[in-house]
Short mmCIF file of all heavy atoms in Angstrom, two decimals:
data_model
loop_
_atom_site.label_atom_id
_atom_site.label_comp_id
_atom_site.label_asym_id
_atom_site.label_seq_id
_atom_site.Cartn_x
_atom_site.Cartn_y
_atom_site.Cartn_z
N ASN C 457 106.57 149.51 122.82
CA ASN C 457 105.71 150.58 122.48
C ASN C 457 105.13 150.36 121.10
O ASN C 457 103.90 150.50 120.83
CB ASN C 457 106.34 151.96 122.47
CG ASN C 457 106.61 152.40 123.98
OD1 ASN C 457 106.01 151.86 124.93
ND2 ASN C 457 107.61 153.36 124.16
N LEU C 458 105.91 149.98 120.18
CA LEU C 458 105.50 149.80 118.75
C LEU C 458 104.57 148.55 118.70
O LEU C 458 103.56 148.60 118.01
CB LEU C 458 106.78 149.63 117.82
CG LEU C 458 107.61 150.87 117.59
CD1 LEU C 458 108.91 150.46 116.94
CD2 LEU C 458 106.82 151.73 116.61
N ALA C 459 104.99 147.50 119.46
CA ALA C 459 104.27 146.27 119.33
C ALA C 459 102.85 146.48 119.79
O ALA C 459 101.89 145.99 119.22
CB ALA C 459 104.86 145.22 120.24
N PHE C 460 102.62 147.25 120.90
CA PHE C 460 101.25 147.46 121.41
C PHE C 460 100.51 148.56 120.60
O PHE C 460 99.35 148.52 120.44
CB PHE C 460 101.28 147.81 122.90
CG PHE C 460 101.34 146.59 123.78
CD1 PHE C 460 102.60 146.04 124.03
CD2 PHE C 460 100.18 145.91 124.13
CE1 PHE C 460 102.64 144.82 124.85
CE2 PHE C 460 100.28 144.76 124.93
CZ PHE C 460 101.49 144.18 125.27
N LYS C 461 101.29 149.56 120.08
CA LYS C 461 100.64 150.60 119.28
C LYS C 461 99.95 150.00 118.03
O LYS C 461 98.84 150.32 117.64
CB LYS C 461 101.66 151.60 118.82
CG LYS C 461 101.15 152.71 118.08
CD LYS C 461 102.20 153.87 117.85
CE LYS C 461 101.72 154.91 116.86
NZ LYS C 461 102.79 155.79 116.48
N TYR C 462 100.70 149.02 117.51
CA TYR C 462 100.15 148.45 116.21
C TYR C 462 99.66 146.88 116.33
O TYR C 462 99.26 146.39 115.30
CB TYR C 462 101.26 148.48 115.11
CG TYR C 462 101.66 149.91 114.76
CD1 TYR C 462 102.79 150.50 115.23
CD2 TYR C 462 100.75 150.65 113.87
CE1 TYR C 462 103.07 151.84 114.87
CE2 TYR C 462 101.10 151.96 113.51
CZ TYR C 462 102.28 152.58 114.02
OH TYR C 462 102.56 153.85 113.73
N ARG C 463 99.70 146.42 117.52
CA ARG C 463 99.42 145.08 117.70
C ARG C 463 100.14 144.18 116.66
O ARG C 463 99.50 143.45 115.93
CB ARG C 463 97.84 144.79 117.69
CG ARG C 463 97.11 145.12 118.98
CD ARG C 463 95.66 144.85 118.86
NE ARG C 463 95.38 143.43 118.63
CZ ARG C 463 94.19 142.91 118.33
NH1 ARG C 463 93.14 143.75 118.35
NH2 ARG C 463 94.04 141.64 118.17
N ASN C 464 101.46 144.23 116.70
CA ASN C 464 102.29 143.52 115.76
C ASN C 464 103.55 143.08 116.39
O ASN C 464 104.16 143.83 117.24
CB ASN C 464 102.57 144.57 114.69
CG ASN C 464 102.94 143.91 113.33
OD1 ASN C 464 101.98 143.37 112.66
ND2 ASN C 464 104.23 143.93 112.94
N PRO C 465 104.09 141.97 115.96
CA PRO C 465 105.37 141.56 116.49
C PRO C 465 106.49 142.45 116.06
O PRO C 465 106.52 142.89 114.95
CB PRO C 465 105.53 140.10 115.92
CG PRO C 465 104.62 139.97 114.77
CD PRO C 465 103.50 140.99 114.98
N VAL C 466 107.39 142.69 116.97
CA VAL C 466 108.66 143.49 116.78
C VAL C 466 109.83 142.61 116.86
O VAL C 466 109.95 141.88 117.87
CB VAL C 466 108.73 144.70 117.76
CG1 VAL C 466 109.98 145.41 117.64
CG2 VAL C 466 107.51 145.70 117.43
N MET C 467 110.78 142.76 115.91
CA MET C 467 112.02 142.01 116.01
C MET C 467 113.16 143.01 116.25
O MET C 467 113.35 143.97 115.57
CB MET C 467 112.25 141.25 114.67
CG MET C 467 113.61 140.44 114.61
SD MET C 467 113.54 138.93 115.49
CE MET C 467 112.83 137.91 114.20
N ILE C 468 113.93 142.72 117.29
CA ILE C 468 115.24 143.43 117.44
C ILE C 468 116.28 142.62 116.74
O ILE C 468 116.57 141.45 117.22
CB ILE C 468 115.51 143.57 118.97
CG1 ILE C 468 114.43 144.52 119.61
CG2 ILE C 468 116.93 144.23 119.18
CD1 ILE C 468 114.59 144.74 121.08
N LEU C 469 116.78 143.11 115.57
CA LEU C 469 117.73 142.34 114.87
C LEU C 469 119.11 142.79 115.23
O LEU C 469 119.60 143.81 114.71
CB LEU C 469 117.47 142.47 113.41
CG LEU C 469 118.31 141.54 112.44
CD1 LEU C 469 117.88 140.12 112.63
CD2 LEU C 469 118.24 141.89 110.97
N SER C 470 119.77 141.97 116.05
CA SER C 470 121.13 142.31 116.53
C SER C 470 122.06 141.27 115.91
O SER C 470 121.71 140.59 114.98
CB SER C 470 121.16 142.25 118.05
OG SER C 470 122.37 142.42 118.56
N ASP C 471 123.28 141.20 116.40
CA ASP C 471 124.12 140.10 115.98
C ASP C 471 125.10 139.83 117.07
O ASP C 471 125.20 140.50 118.09
CB ASP C 471 124.86 140.54 114.66
CG ASP C 471 125.77 141.66 114.80
OD1 ASP C 471 126.67 141.62 115.69
OD2 ASP C 471 125.61 142.66 113.93
N GLY C 472 125.95 138.71 116.88
CA GLY C 472 126.83 138.38 117.84
C GLY C 472 127.78 139.43 118.38
O GLY C 472 128.24 139.39 119.50
N LEU C 473 128.14 140.37 117.51
CA LEU C 473 129.02 141.45 117.96
C LEU C 473 128.39 142.36 118.95
O LEU C 473 128.87 142.55 120.03
CB LEU C 473 129.46 142.21 116.69
CG LEU C 473 130.73 143.05 116.78
CD1 LEU C 473 131.72 142.51 115.82
CD2 LEU C 473 130.56 144.50 116.54
N ILE C 474 127.22 142.78 118.63
CA ILE C 474 126.45 143.74 119.57
C ILE C 474 126.08 143.02 120.81
O ILE C 474 126.06 143.59 121.92
CB ILE C 474 125.30 144.35 118.87
CG1 ILE C 474 125.62 145.07 117.50
CG2 ILE C 474 124.54 145.42 119.76
CD1 ILE C 474 126.42 146.28 117.66
N GLY C 475 125.67 141.71 120.64
CA GLY C 475 125.24 140.89 121.77
C GLY C 475 126.37 140.62 122.77
O GLY C 475 126.16 140.58 123.99
N GLN C 476 127.55 140.43 122.25
CA GLN C 476 128.64 140.03 123.11
C GLN C 476 129.56 141.11 123.64
O GLN C 476 130.24 140.98 124.63
CB GLN C 476 129.54 139.05 122.37
CG GLN C 476 128.87 137.65 122.05
CD GLN C 476 128.55 136.87 123.33
OE1 GLN C 476 129.33 136.94 124.29
NE2 GLN C 476 127.48 136.11 123.31
N MET C 477 129.61 142.30 122.96
CA MET C 477 130.49 143.32 123.36
C MET C 477 129.99 144.09 124.64
O MET C 477 128.77 144.07 124.86
CB MET C 477 130.72 144.29 122.20
CG MET C 477 129.61 145.24 121.91
SD MET C 477 130.05 146.24 120.44
CE MET C 477 128.68 147.40 120.40
N MET C 478 130.92 144.58 125.38
CA MET C 478 130.59 145.38 126.59
C MET C 478 130.75 146.79 126.35
O MET C 478 131.76 147.20 125.76
CB MET C 478 131.44 144.91 127.69
CG MET C 478 131.16 143.47 128.21
SD MET C 478 132.08 143.07 129.66
CE MET C 478 130.98 143.55 130.96
N GLU C 479 129.77 147.54 126.81
CA GLU C 479 129.79 149.01 126.68
C GLU C 479 129.09 149.63 127.93
O GLU C 479 128.27 148.97 128.61
CB GLU C 479 129.06 149.55 125.43
CG GLU C 479 129.87 149.39 124.16
CD GLU C 479 129.16 149.93 122.91
OE1 GLU C 479 127.97 149.90 122.83
OE2 GLU C 479 129.85 150.57 122.12
N LYS C 480 129.37 150.89 128.07
CA LYS C 480 128.57 151.60 129.08
C LYS C 480 127.11 151.74 128.59
O LYS C 480 126.82 152.04 127.49
CB LYS C 480 129.22 153.02 129.20
CG LYS C 480 128.89 153.78 130.52
CD LYS C 480 129.67 155.09 130.59
CE LYS C 480 129.01 156.07 129.63
NZ LYS C 480 129.66 157.38 129.72
N VAL C 481 126.24 151.50 129.54
CA VAL C 481 124.84 151.66 129.12
C VAL C 481 124.04 152.30 130.31
O VAL C 481 124.25 152.05 131.45
CB VAL C 481 124.24 150.27 128.84
CG1 VAL C 481 124.46 149.24 129.89
CG2 VAL C 481 122.74 150.36 128.49
N LYS C 482 123.18 153.26 129.85
CA LYS C 482 122.38 154.00 130.87
C LYS C 482 121.05 153.24 130.87
O LYS C 482 120.25 153.19 129.89
CB LYS C 482 122.12 155.41 130.36
CG LYS C 482 121.47 156.20 131.41
CD LYS C 482 121.60 157.74 131.00
CE LYS C 482 120.60 158.55 131.68
NZ LYS C 482 120.52 159.94 130.98
N LEU C 483 120.76 152.58 131.97
CA LEU C 483 119.55 151.74 132.12
C LEU C 483 118.37 152.61 132.64
O LEU C 483 118.57 153.57 133.41
CB LEU C 483 119.83 150.62 133.12
CG LEU C 483 120.88 149.61 132.72
CD1 LEU C 483 121.37 148.85 133.94
CD2 LEU C 483 120.39 148.73 131.62
N LYS C 484 117.21 152.32 132.09
CA LYS C 484 116.03 153.22 132.45
C LYS C 484 115.52 152.82 133.83
O LYS C 484 115.85 151.78 134.37
CB LYS C 484 114.93 152.89 131.49
CG LYS C 484 115.38 153.41 130.03
CD LYS C 484 114.21 153.17 129.12
CE LYS C 484 114.92 153.40 127.68
NZ LYS C 484 114.52 154.63 126.95
N ALA C 485 114.75 153.71 134.36
CA ALA C 485 114.09 153.46 135.70
C ALA C 485 113.08 152.35 135.57
O ALA C 485 112.55 152.15 134.46
CB ALA C 485 113.51 154.72 136.17
N GLN C 486 112.92 151.61 136.70
CA GLN C 486 111.92 150.52 136.62
C GLN C 486 110.47 151.00 136.38
O GLN C 486 109.95 151.98 137.00
CB GLN C 486 111.96 149.83 138.05
CG GLN C 486 111.00 148.63 138.17
CD GLN C 486 111.42 147.47 137.28
OE1 GLN C 486 112.55 147.03 137.25
NE2 GLN C 486 110.41 146.98 136.44
N LYS C 487 109.86 150.37 135.40
CA LYS C 487 108.42 150.64 135.11
C LYS C 487 107.60 149.62 135.88
O LYS C 487 108.01 148.39 135.89
CB LYS C 487 108.06 150.47 133.66
CG LYS C 487 108.29 151.66 132.84
CD LYS C 487 107.55 151.28 131.47
CE LYS C 487 108.18 152.10 130.36
NZ LYS C 487 107.69 151.68 129.03
N PRO C 488 106.44 149.89 136.45
CA PRO C 488 105.65 148.88 137.01
C PRO C 488 104.99 148.08 136.03
O PRO C 488 104.76 148.50 134.87
CB PRO C 488 104.59 149.64 137.87
CG PRO C 488 104.59 151.00 137.18
CD PRO C 488 105.82 151.19 136.61
N ARG C 489 104.86 146.65 136.35
CA ARG C 489 104.05 145.85 135.40
C ARG C 489 102.56 146.25 135.52
O ARG C 489 102.14 146.70 136.54
CB ARG C 489 104.33 144.39 135.80
CG ARG C 489 105.61 143.86 135.37
CD ARG C 489 105.87 142.44 135.96
NE ARG C 489 104.73 141.59 135.53
CZ ARG C 489 103.96 140.95 136.41
NH1 ARG C 489 104.07 141.00 137.63
NH2 ARG C 489 102.98 140.17 135.91
N LEU C 490 101.85 146.09 134.45
CA LEU C 490 100.45 146.49 134.54
C LEU C 490 99.69 145.47 135.32
O LEU C 490 99.92 144.28 135.28
CB LEU C 490 99.84 146.50 133.00
CG LEU C 490 100.38 147.49 132.07
CD1 LEU C 490 99.62 147.48 130.79
CD2 LEU C 490 100.40 148.92 132.61
N THR C 491 98.66 145.97 136.02
CA THR C 491 97.77 145.05 136.74
C THR C 491 96.74 144.47 135.72
O THR C 491 96.63 145.01 134.66
CB THR C 491 97.03 145.88 137.86
OG1 THR C 491 96.23 146.84 137.25
CG2 THR C 491 97.97 146.53 138.80
N GLU C 492 95.98 143.44 136.21
CA GLU C 492 94.99 142.94 135.37
C GLU C 492 93.95 144.00 134.97
O GLU C 492 93.50 144.05 133.81
CB GLU C 492 94.28 141.64 136.02
CG GLU C 492 93.38 140.96 135.06
CD GLU C 492 92.70 139.75 135.57
OE1 GLU C 492 93.21 139.12 136.52
OE2 GLU C 492 91.62 139.35 135.15
N ASN C 493 93.64 144.76 135.92
CA ASN C 493 92.57 145.80 135.67
C ASN C 493 93.06 146.86 134.59
O ASN C 493 92.39 147.27 133.72
CB ASN C 493 92.21 146.58 136.93
CG ASN C 493 91.16 145.83 137.74
OD1 ASN C 493 90.48 144.97 137.10
ND2 ASN C 493 91.06 146.08 138.97
N GLU C 494 94.44 147.18 134.72
CA GLU C 494 94.95 148.10 133.77
C GLU C 494 94.98 147.45 132.33
O GLU C 494 94.75 148.17 131.34
CB GLU C 494 96.43 148.52 134.12
CG GLU C 494 96.46 149.48 135.32
CD GLU C 494 97.80 149.65 135.94
OE1 GLU C 494 98.62 148.74 135.85
OE2 GLU C 494 98.08 150.72 136.48
N ILE C 495 95.26 146.11 132.29
CA ILE C 495 95.28 145.45 131.01
C ILE C 495 93.85 145.48 130.42
O ILE C 495 93.61 145.67 129.27
CB ILE C 495 95.83 144.00 131.17
CG1 ILE C 495 97.23 144.02 131.50
CG2 ILE C 495 95.60 143.21 129.88
CD1 ILE C 495 97.89 142.73 131.85
N ARG C 496 92.86 145.28 131.26
CA ARG C 496 91.46 145.26 130.89
C ARG C 496 91.10 146.58 130.27
O ARG C 496 90.42 146.70 129.21
CB ARG C 496 90.49 144.93 131.98
CG ARG C 496 90.12 143.46 131.98
CD ARG C 496 89.07 143.13 133.09
NE ARG C 496 89.14 141.74 133.45
CZ ARG C 496 88.72 140.79 132.74
NH1 ARG C 496 88.04 141.02 131.61
NH2 ARG C 496 88.96 139.54 133.17
N GLU C 497 91.53 147.64 130.94
CA GLU C 497 91.20 149.04 130.53
C GLU C 497 91.87 149.26 129.13
O GLU C 497 91.23 149.83 128.20
CB GLU C 497 91.74 150.06 131.50
CG GLU C 497 90.72 150.45 132.62
CD GLU C 497 91.41 151.20 133.71
OE1 GLU C 497 92.42 152.04 133.35
OE2 GLU C 497 91.14 150.99 134.84
N ARG C 498 93.13 148.88 128.97
CA ARG C 498 93.86 149.17 127.77
C ARG C 498 93.58 148.28 126.62
O ARG C 498 93.44 148.64 125.39
CB ARG C 498 95.34 149.23 127.99
CG ARG C 498 95.76 150.30 128.94
CD ARG C 498 97.29 150.35 129.08
NE ARG C 498 97.60 151.21 130.22
CZ ARG C 498 98.80 151.57 130.51
NH1 ARG C 498 99.88 151.22 129.75
NH2 ARG C 498 99.10 152.25 131.57
N TYR C 499 93.56 146.96 126.93
CA TYR C 499 93.55 145.93 125.86
C TYR C 499 92.31 144.98 126.01
O TYR C 499 92.27 144.01 125.37
CB TYR C 499 94.88 145.18 125.85
CG TYR C 499 96.08 145.97 125.96
CD1 TYR C 499 96.95 145.75 127.04
CD2 TYR C 499 96.28 146.98 125.14
CE1 TYR C 499 98.12 146.56 127.12
CE2 TYR C 499 97.41 147.83 125.25
CZ TYR C 499 98.33 147.60 126.26
OH TYR C 499 99.40 148.44 126.34
N GLY C 500 91.39 145.32 126.85
CA GLY C 500 90.27 144.44 127.07
C GLY C 500 89.36 144.23 125.84
O GLY C 500 88.63 143.30 125.92
N ASP C 501 89.48 145.09 124.89
CA ASP C 501 88.63 144.90 123.72
C ASP C 501 89.13 143.81 122.82
O ASP C 501 88.45 143.35 121.89
CB ASP C 501 88.62 146.27 122.87
CG ASP C 501 90.01 146.74 122.50
OD1 ASP C 501 90.95 146.53 123.23
OD2 ASP C 501 90.10 147.41 121.37
N TRP C 502 90.41 143.20 123.07
CA TRP C 502 90.75 142.07 122.35
C TRP C 502 91.42 140.99 123.11
O TRP C 502 91.41 139.75 122.66
CB TRP C 502 91.76 142.53 121.17
CG TRP C 502 93.02 143.25 121.65
CD1 TRP C 502 93.15 144.58 121.75
CD2 TRP C 502 94.22 142.69 122.14
NE1 TRP C 502 94.40 144.85 122.28
CE2 TRP C 502 95.08 143.70 122.50
CE3 TRP C 502 94.76 141.31 122.27
CZ2 TRP C 502 96.39 143.56 122.98
CZ3 TRP C 502 96.04 141.14 122.73
CH2 TRP C 502 96.82 142.20 123.07
N ALA C 503 91.94 141.29 124.24
CA ALA C 503 92.72 140.27 125.04
C ALA C 503 91.87 139.27 125.62
O ALA C 503 90.81 139.52 126.15
CB ALA C 503 93.62 140.94 126.07
N THR C 504 92.32 137.98 125.67
CA THR C 504 91.57 136.90 126.38
C THR C 504 91.95 136.89 127.87
O THR C 504 93.04 136.47 128.22
CB THR C 504 91.88 135.54 125.82
OG1 THR C 504 93.31 135.34 125.78
CG2 THR C 504 91.43 135.32 124.36
N LEU C 505 91.08 137.53 128.62
CA LEU C 505 91.43 137.63 130.07
C LEU C 505 90.41 136.81 130.87
O LEU C 505 90.41 136.90 132.10
CB LEU C 505 91.29 139.20 130.49
CG LEU C 505 92.36 140.04 129.81
CD1 LEU C 505 91.92 141.55 129.85
CD2 LEU C 505 93.70 139.81 130.41
N GLY C 506 89.50 136.11 130.27
CA GLY C 506 88.30 135.49 130.91
C GLY C 506 87.21 136.45 130.84
O GLY C 506 87.37 137.55 131.41
N ASN C 507 86.14 136.12 130.28
CA ASN C 507 85.04 137.07 130.09
C ASN C 507 83.71 136.33 130.19
O ASN C 507 83.60 135.11 130.02
CB ASN C 507 85.13 137.78 128.76
CG ASN C 507 86.14 138.92 128.76
OD1 ASN C 507 85.93 139.92 129.49
ND2 ASN C 507 87.19 138.85 127.97
N LYS C 508 82.63 137.11 130.39
CA LYS C 508 81.23 136.62 130.18
C LYS C 508 81.11 136.25 128.69
O LYS C 508 81.67 136.87 127.81
CB LYS C 508 80.23 137.64 130.59
CG LYS C 508 80.11 137.93 132.01
CD LYS C 508 78.88 138.81 132.28
CE LYS C 508 78.54 139.19 133.56
NZ LYS C 508 79.40 138.95 134.73
N SER C 509 80.17 135.27 128.44
CA SER C 509 80.04 134.85 127.09
C SER C 509 79.68 135.98 126.12
O SER C 509 80.15 136.04 124.95
CB SER C 509 78.94 133.80 127.01
OG SER C 509 79.35 132.60 127.69
N GLU C 510 78.84 136.92 126.63
CA GLU C 510 78.32 138.02 125.79
C GLU C 510 79.59 138.93 125.31
O GLU C 510 79.48 139.61 124.33
CB GLU C 510 77.33 138.93 126.51
CG GLU C 510 76.25 138.34 127.17
CD GLU C 510 76.60 137.82 128.50
OE1 GLU C 510 76.71 138.54 129.47
OE2 GLU C 510 76.81 136.56 128.62
N ASN C 511 80.56 138.81 126.05
CA ASN C 511 81.73 139.75 125.80
C ASN C 511 83.03 138.96 125.55
O ASN C 511 84.11 139.44 125.71
CB ASN C 511 81.88 140.64 127.15
CG ASN C 511 82.90 141.74 126.94
OD1 ASN C 511 83.00 142.35 125.86
ND2 ASN C 511 83.58 142.10 127.99
N ARG C 512 82.89 137.75 125.06
CA ARG C 512 84.07 136.88 125.03
C ARG C 512 84.98 137.31 123.85
O ARG C 512 84.57 137.94 122.90
CB ARG C 512 83.64 135.44 124.91
CG ARG C 512 83.19 135.07 123.48
CD ARG C 512 82.44 133.75 123.47
NE ARG C 512 82.14 133.36 122.11
CZ ARG C 512 82.86 132.36 121.49
NH1 ARG C 512 83.91 131.87 122.02
NH2 ARG C 512 82.51 132.04 120.30
#
Side-chain angles (χ1 to χ4, degrees):
Chain C
N457 286 345
L458 288 165
F460 276 88
K461 181 173 175 190
Y462 294 101
R463 280 182 62 188
N464 204 72
V466 169
M467 178 79 82
I468 298 178
L469 189 69
S470 174
D471 65 53
L473 201 115
I474 307 289
Q476 293 293 328
M477 73 184 187
M478 291 187 90
E479 281 185 323
K480 199 175 74 174
V481 52
K482 191 166 157 195
L483 298 162
K484 295 182 193 252
Q486 180 67 51
K487 272 193 208 172
R489 289 174 51 241
L490 296 186
T491 63
E492 185 176 339
N493 279 339
E494 287 169 332
I495 293 174
R496 261 185 209 282
E497 275 167 34
R498 296 187 194 188
Y499 315 123
D501 56 330
W502 57 267
T504 52
L505 297 163
N507 279 298
K508 286 192 183 4
S509 291
E510 310 82 78
N511 191 31
R512 76 195 188 99

